[in-house]
Amino acid sequence: MKRKIIFIVLILLVVVAIVFKLSKNKKIIDAKNTLVNNKDLTVPVKVDTVQLQDFNSEMLKTGNVLPFKEAKILALGKSGTIKKMFIQLGSHVSAGQKVAVLDNKLMVLDLQKAEYHEKKLKEDLQTYTELLAGKAATQEKVNTIRQDYEDALNEVYQARKNINDANITAPTSGIISEKSVEDGMYVASGGEIATIVNLSRIKLNVRLTESEVYKIAKGDLVIVTADVYPGKRFNGVVDFINPQADEMHNYNAEILLDGSTTDLFRSGTFVYVHFNNKPMLNVMAIPRTSLTESIQNPFVYIVRNGKVHLQKITTNGEVNGKLIVTSGLQVGDIVVTSGQINLREGALVKISK
């Protein structure tokens, strides 16, 4: 009996000790929370005042020169051996010009066989047509020969086409930039012979971000400069804007330069493209560092009476590190530009210089 009483007393003592410890821990935690959540805590921040500003909205992007057209010269007929190449790297070619010829000896033999077969079937068809008129042949036999004759005509056509395709021609005008085969080399049907680049007009490729692509439109005039021509300015026009972004959320745009630049640039040359050379007057602007999140979800902290308030805003692009604000703020508002990480709605702040 005594053992049972002692055991119960020990259990009670353990329970009391646990309750005491938990109570003590709770007081410590509450004290820490009180310290952290103390509304009297003042956070030092840096600020800027919203004001109307004027900007030159020129957008400068880098790009590179592309050929106006680029085409592969292919062996479109049957496989064969290159008998003769008529081009070299750098050769100027015109659309339709013969650039290579395949050895066509076997093709000529195929044509002779096809023509002999076609001639024989033509004679057979004439003979059996006459026999049918005299009721010495069946209509079925005549139909079979007629079908064979039509197939033979198709074989003759294909054989002649193969001989014609042995003369490989340029699909467009331009300069030979790559040559894949030489005389005596074997090339498969559809195989690549050479590459043509057409620089009759100069095309530039530029990558634009999501915020930039909405600032331009097809037909916009641009100015192009290049390190290889210091001090010179070239006129261009936006010819194409890809509606689909790439994996990096960039949009490709193509610029066409005027015809006077044809002999000045080589494909791959690095250039600068100057967009939208128009002033923006009396627009509200704040430093980009004012944002608490990304430009896709723009919020800022406004300081009023020593406290901060989170404010949703809308923007219309960025110029020289400043965001153009279209709504959500008023001229004279004070926005936090540094220290946002320590802020929450209603927090007290001290403005640092």
Side-chain angles (χ1 to χ4, degrees):
M1 184 66 179
K2 289 183 178 180
R3 289 182 178 179
K4 186 175 181 179
I5 294 173
I6 293 172
F7 181 72
I8 292 172
V9 171
L10 289 175
I11 292 175
L12 290 174
L13 290 174
V14 170
V15 171
V16 170
I18 292 173
V19 171
F20 176 77
K21 182 65 175 176
L22 290 175
S23 177
K24 185 177 180 181
N25 288 345
K26 184 176 183 302
K27 290 181 180 180
I28 294 174
I29 293 171
D30 289 343
K32 289 182 178 180
N33 287 338
T34 300
L35 180 61
V36 172
N37 296 323
N38 188 348
K39 292 186 178 181
D40 293 331
L41 181 64
T42 301
V43 180
V45 296
K46 292 184 178 180
V47 299
D48 193 57
T49 301
V50 179
Q51 53 188 320
L52 297 178
Q53 299 183 40
D54 296 337
F55 292 99
N56 183 341
S57 64
E58 180 181 79
M59 182 172 68
L60 179 64
K61 298 295 294 184
T62 58
N64 60 288
V65 176
L66 299 177
F68 178 62
K69 292 181 181 178
E70 182 176 277
K72 302 293 184 181
I73 304 177
L74 305 177
L76 299 178
K78 296 184 66 175
S79 303
T81 302
I82 297 293
K83 183 178 180 180
K84 180 66 176 177
M85 291 286 291
F86 302 105
I87 55 172
Q88 299 294 332
L89 289 176
S91 297
H92 290 261
V93 297
S94 301
Q97 177 181 332
K98 184 163 67 174
V99 297
V101 62
L102 296 177
D103 187 343
N104 63 2
K105 291 180 181 177
L106 294 179
M107 300 177 195
V108 171
L109 290 176
D110 289 340
L111 175 60
Q112 291 174 351
K113 291 178 181 178
E115 288 177 335
Y116 174 79
H117 190 213
E118 177 263 335
K119 181 179 179 182
K120 182 178 182 304
L121 286 171
K122 183 178 181 180
E123 294 173 350
D124 288 347
L125 179 60
Q126 183 176 357
T127 299
Y128 276 88
T129 300
E130 293 175 354
L131 291 173
L132 177 63
K135 297 184 179 180
T138 64
Q139 183 67 53
E140 182 179 1
K141 180 65 175 179
V142 172
N143 291 343
T144 300
I145 295 177
R146 180 177 287 110
Q147 182 61 53
D148 291 343
Y149 173 64
E150 290 177 354
D151 291 343
L153 287 176
N154 290 332
E155 290 178 2
V156 171
Y157 170 80
Q158 186 60 52
R160 289 173 177 167
K161 184 177 184 300
N162 289 338
I163 292 176
N164 184 64
D165 287 343
N167 297 308
I168 302 171
T169 59
T172 186
S173 301
I175 300 172
I176 302 299
S177 62
E178 295 180 19
K179 193 172 69 163
S180 307
V181 296
E182 298 290 347
D183 292 357
M185 293 181 63
Y186 176 84
V187 60
S189 177
E192 182 178 324
I193 300 295
T195 300
I196 301 174
V197 294
N198 184 332
L199 294 175
S200 61
R201 295 193 68 183
I202 301 299
K203 181 170 64 175
L204 311 178
N205 180 66
V206 179
R207 287 187 176 184
L208 303 172
T209 65
E210 182 176 329
S211 61
E212 294 168 341
V213 73
Y214 289 98
K215 297 179 182 178
I216 69 170
K218 183 176 179 179
D220 283 355
L221 300 179
V222 300
I223 299 297
V224 176
T225 58
D227 291 338
V228 293
Y229 295 112
K232 289 190 176 182
R233 295 160 65 90
F234 305 94
N235 297 319
V237 61
V238 178
D239 184 61
F240 171 75
I241 303 172
N242 197 328
Q244 176 65 48
D246 61 21
E247 63 278 1
M248 300 300 293
H249 297 284
N250 291 320
Y251 295 80
N252 283 334
E254 291 184 357
I255 313 297
L256 287 182
L257 297 189
D258 60 33
S260 63
T261 60
T262 300
D263 298 325
L264 297 180
F265 289 99
R266 295 179 181 272
S267 182
T269 301
F270 189 77
V271 296
Y272 304 96
V273 182
H274 306 254
F275 292 91
N276 302 329
N277 192 15
K278 301 174 184 177
M280 299 176 66
L281 306 177
N282 293 323
V283 295
M284 281 193 299
I286 60 173
R288 196 184 196 287
T289 55
S290 304
L291 291 181
T292 61
E293 298 184 35
S294 67
I295 197 169
Q296 284 76 27
N297 189 33
F299 280 84
V300 297
Y301 278 111
I302 301 177
V303 179
R304 290 176 182 159
N305 300 321
K307 295 182 179 181
V308 292
H309 303 281
L310 195 59
Q311 177 65 43
K312 170 74 173 178
I313 64 172
T314 56
T315 64
N316 184 31
E318 178 180 352
V319 181
N320 301 329
K322 293 291 187 73
L323 293 177
I324 308 303
V325 180
T326 55
S327 67
L329 295 176
Q330 296 180 356
V331 175
D333 283 343
I334 298 175
V335 296
V336 176
T337 60
S338 177
Q340 298 98 317
I341 193 172
N342 299 314
L343 297 179
R344 53 178 172 74
E345 177 65 27
L348 296 176
V349 294
K350 178 182 180 181
I351 297 176
S352 303
K353 294 185 179 180

